[in-house]
Amino acid sequence: MNKYKLIFLTILLLIPIFAIGQIPKGHFLDADDSADKGYKLKPFKQKKKGIYHYAILTELPFEHDCESGISEKKQIACAERNLNLLISEKLNSESEFKGNVYVYLTVTEKAKIIDIKVKSYPQSDEIDKLIKEATEKINVKAGKYKRKTVKSRLWTSFKF
């Protein structure tokens, strides 16, 4: 019986060690006082595709009312809210959809929107199509990181 307890405890101790190796390449695990619990993944630049996460951009690729010098957490919330409003303004029809919709898009260095991904829960092709069409209509400019024009990845969500 003691042998089985020892094996069980050993496995319990090894699980966190194996889990640490599961952090995706390009992400940085770092303690953060602003996180509610535990650790937080820092925003990053995807080295393979050269895409910058919108939270680290020095100039967002769309019009916004976010203050400068605010914390990263507030900047992310403000950017998501403003992007959400821009897309909402372009929605021209009402839908009886009840659920959540998640939108991911990339803005190129030439201020073009590409790689739009829309996912609704519960799945609705109708709402996905409406949101995608609205997203294609928003006006964007190139995002900047440290005065350099870069390709940026944005996302927001809707609750209907």
Side-chain angles (χ1 to χ4, degrees):
M1 188 68 172
N2 288 338
K3 180 181 176 184
Y4 295 112
K5 285 183 182 179
L6 183 60
I7 291 172
F8 180 72
L9 288 174
T10 304
I11 291 172
L12 283 177
L13 290 172
L14 289 176
I15 289 174
I17 293 170
F18 292 129
I20 289 173
Q22 301 303 313
I23 298 168
K25 191 172 185 176
H27 285 74
F28 304 99
L29 187 64
D30 195 9
D32 187 0
D33 297 334
S34 67
D36 292 352
K37 293 182 181 178
Y39 293 98
K40 172 180 157 184
L41 287 175
K42 293 283 187 182
F44 71 105
K45 173 194 170 206
Q46 248 183 344
K47 291 181 182 176
K48 219 175 206 181
K49 296 182 183 178
I51 299 174
Y52 288 73
H53 186 277
Y54 70 94
I56 63 170
L57 295 176
T58 51
E59 192 175 312
L60 292 172
F62 54 87
E63 294 299 320
H64 59 87
D65 61 0
C66 303
E67 301 171 20
S68 60
I70 58 177
S71 72
E72 183 183 298
K73 191 174 184 177
K74 287 181 181 177
Q75 181 179 343
I76 290 170
C78 182
E80 284 181 35
R81 185 181 67 251
N82 281 274
L83 182 59
N84 190 311
L85 289 172
L86 286 173
I87 295 171
S88 296
E89 289 173 355
K90 301 295 181 184
L91 286 174
N92 54 8
S93 65
E94 292 294 320
S95 175
E96 295 185 17
F97 176 77
K98 299 272 189 245
N100 296 318
V101 180
Y102 301 92
V103 181
Y104 301 88
L105 61 127
T106 301
V107 177
T108 66
E109 296 93 337
K110 295 181 181 179
K112 293 189 180 184
I113 298 174
I114 61 169
D115 195 22
I116 300 171
K117 304 273 190 255
V118 181
K119 188 67 179 165
S120 56
Y121 296 100
Q123 178 62 36
S124 169
D125 292 334
E126 176 189 344
I127 196 71
D128 287 357
K129 184 180 175 190
L130 288 172
I131 298 287
K132 185 171 182 175
E133 288 171 357
T135 303
E136 290 170 341
K137 293 177 187 175
I138 64 172
N139 295 323
V140 293
K141 58 186 179 183
K144 292 189 178 182
Y145 178 73
K146 295 184 179 178
R147 298 185 192 163
K148 179 182 169 193
T149 302
V150 295
K151 187 186 289 186
S152 53
R153 187 73 173 161
L154 312 169
W155 85 277
T156 190
S157 63
F158 297 87
K159 192 170 204 165
F160 295 98

